[in-house]
Amino acid sequence: MVSSPTGAFAWQFWRHYPLVTTGGSIYLIALSIAHLVIAGETWHPAIAAITLGPLLLVLLYLLLVFSYSDRADVFVKESAFPTYLFTLPVSSRALAGWPMVLGGLTLAAFWLTTSGLVLPQTLSAIGIAPAMRVTDWIAWSVLIALMLAAMLAWLQAVLWTTFPLVLMRVLAAIAVLAGIPTGVALAAQGSVPLWMTAVVLGGSLPLAYMVAVISVGRSRRGDVLHWRTATLRTGISTVKKPHQYRQFSSPYAAQRWLEWRRSGRLVVYVTLGSVFVLSLMSVLDIGRGSFLLLILLVPPYIACIAGMSLGSVALRREQVEMSPFLAARPLSSAGFVGAKMQAALVSCSASCGIAVLGIVVTILIRGPQTRGLTNWQELTDAFSPLQIVALAGFAVTGYLGLTWLLSVQALFVKLCGRRWLEGVMGILVGGGFLGGIYAALHYSSVNWPPEIPTFWSNAGWIVVSLVTIKLTAALFVVRGILKSRLLSAAVLQRWVWVWLAIWAVVVAFLYWILPVKIVTGVEIMLATTLLLPINRLLLAVPALSWNRHR
């Protein structure tokens, strides 16, 4: 039994987010041990950069977890603080304070561990390690930890405050997430002492706490801010008539619009703010290296995080079962899944477009000497103009497809409504990721990239076995869907033809671009079959049906 508010809030966050808290901690500990054990060996830059990806995801998701923004609709005037917590027998100061304290300490501890045990060797392997003393590194690590705590505190204050206009909360949240890191970077660029920046960040924490306490208290009493329009001042009623509400042509269109409102547009707004900050930092030449790669990585990372909430079919975040209110809608399980995937496609297309536009604007402002474009001459020498055009089109299409797949590939896990399956899949994915890192380190310690004949002679049978298992599983999934009549044979046939068309285009393009001495056509076909998803997308429909008719 939990006997204190501190323990209750800590247990709540751990109980509702075991994959982020426990899984992120295990991954950080395992990666730290790996760095300590093989500290004398050389990590390949690509492998070192890949290992940082999950850590950045955990940091971003912790910001969402402790601000309750993953379980609330931020596009409303009311506070985003969970209403079911208002009935707890604690004061408003405790309701606002303990998530702020626990979140700040968790973010700071996670970052300091990463900065002390993982980041130095990783940056050295990538080749962007800053030349600074140990004391300066510690000072910067503490400052960034304080910056993360300030970002969380002000994000909580903004999200828990009632606003008279819907868009004001989104703009304020983007200003917090973008303004604080930009301010720290500009302060460092302007040679402002670190202690002065730390004093400003630390001094903002009590102010954020007061704003959060006042906001939670007002929301607890039911106070909501409203701006009276001119029609209200004249005494004319602004209640909408039935014909003034938005009309939908079908339940599918209504569900698609709802999915866009719930998760799609938030992805676009967060991407817009992140790309703006990174483009501004690149234009101002803040720091070392180029931010163009980071701009490209913004949509995939946000798609991964948004995919966790895209598959939710419960009315409350702590629930995983499909609510009867949603299950009774006049829409098939395939319609639910299709609406989610189409909303994700729209949001991912907009996000990728914003990222590409940000890169183009940055290059136009800074000129052709922008960092990150130094290898352009090597690319033009290696390929013909027609191949470069085809490669650019393939890269843009693949970039959009990858971003969309990252947001929908785990739909079947969330839609099934079983916590144990989420835990099992998290363990399998984490184990596979660590195994892939180990295999890559093994090859990179000998020769990188590994010679294709040697690789296929050692691991080719593994790829063939995985392809066989994947196609066999696809046949069983299709048979089960047809037997349960979740999809018609015509729909499945069209889906299979689309998948085969994409497979053929990818294989033909890679065979045209890559020389035969590097990889053969059979190897390209096997790799493409293994990488293109088929079962994960098909399983979303039976998973939702399993949850809907439990």
Side-chain angles (χ1 to χ4, degrees), residues 3 40 121 169 176 189 244 333 368 409 414 484 512 514 534:
S3 58
Q121 187 172 351
R169 174 180 286 111
V176 168
Q189 191 79 2
Q244 291 179 310
S333 298
Q409 65 177 350
K414 296 290 293 183
S484 57
W512 178 47
L514 298 177
I534 177 172

Side-chain angles (χ1 to χ4, degrees), residues 205-342:
L205 293 177
L207 181 60
Y209 170 71
M210 288 188 294
V211 174
V213 170
I214 295 174
S215 301
V216 171
R218 290 177 60 90
S219 301
R220 209 173 188 183
R221 297 189 300 268
D223 296 340
V224 180
L225 293 176
H226 292 285
W227 281 358
R228 295 184 177 274
T229 61
T231 54
L232 282 179
R233 286 196 297 268
T234 58
I236 302 176
S237 175
T238 59
V239 178
K240 289 185 177 181
K241 298 179 181 179
H243 67 273
Q244 291 179 310
Y245 289 96
R246 182 168 182 173
Q247 302 293 324
F248 297 99
S249 59
S250 63
Y252 178 83
Q255 186 66 31
R256 181 182 56 198
W257 174 83
L258 180 62
E259 297 296 341
W260 163 258
R261 293 271 299 184
R262 292 180 60 183
S263 58
R265 58 178 181 174
L266 181 60
V267 173
V268 177
Y269 290 145
V270 175
T271 303
L272 181 61
S274 304
V275 170
F276 174 77
V277 172
L278 292 175
S279 300
L280 181 63
M281 296 175 70
S282 182
V283 169
L284 298 178
D285 199 15
I286 297 176
R288 301 178 58 187
S290 174
F291 293 95
L292 299 184
L293 180 60
L294 291 179
I295 294 176
L296 281 178
L297 292 177
V298 166
Y301 272 114
I302 296 178
C304 282
I305 298 176
M308 300 179 184
S309 61
L310 180 64
S312 177
V313 288
L315 293 180
R316 290 170 58 177
R317 175 59 181 84
E318 63 274 10
Q319 297 176 345
V320 293
E321 302 85 3
M322 189 173 189
S323 64
F325 176 76
L326 297 178
R329 291 184 176 178
L331 192 64
S332 63
S333 298
F336 269 105
V337 175
K340 290 178 178 293
M341 290 186 175
Q342 192 168 355

Side-chain angles (χ1 to χ4, degrees), residues 409-418 421-423 425-426 539-540 543:
Q409 65 177 350
L411 270 181
F412 73 98
V413 180
K414 296 290 293 183
L415 291 176
C416 70
R418 268 71 177 179
L421 184 58
E422 293 184 22
M425 291 302 299
L539 282 173

Side-chain angles (χ1 to χ4, degrees), residues 502-517:
I502 296 175
W503 178 87
V505 170
V506 173
V507 170
F509 176 80
L510 294 179
Y511 186 78
W512 178 47
I513 290 293
L514 298 177
V516 179
K517 62 180 180 180

Side-chain angles (χ1 to χ4, degrees), residues 140 143 147 151 174-194 196-198 200-201 276-278 280-281 284 286:
W140 268 105
L143 180 65
M147 181 192 72
M151 289 174 61
I174 293 177
V176 168
L177 295 176
I180 294 179
T182 304
V184 173
L186 291 177
Q189 191 79 2
S191 301
V192 177
L194 295 183
M196 187 176 299
T197 307
V200 173
L201 292 175
F276 174 77
V277 172
L278 292 175
L280 181 63
M281 296 175 70
L284 298 178
I286 297 176

Side-chain angles (χ1 to χ4, degrees), residues 9-21:
F9 278 102
W11 177 87
Q12 177 200 26
F13 288 116
W14 176 83
R15 173 66 178 81
H16 292 161
Y17 307 93
L19 184 60
V20 178
T21 54

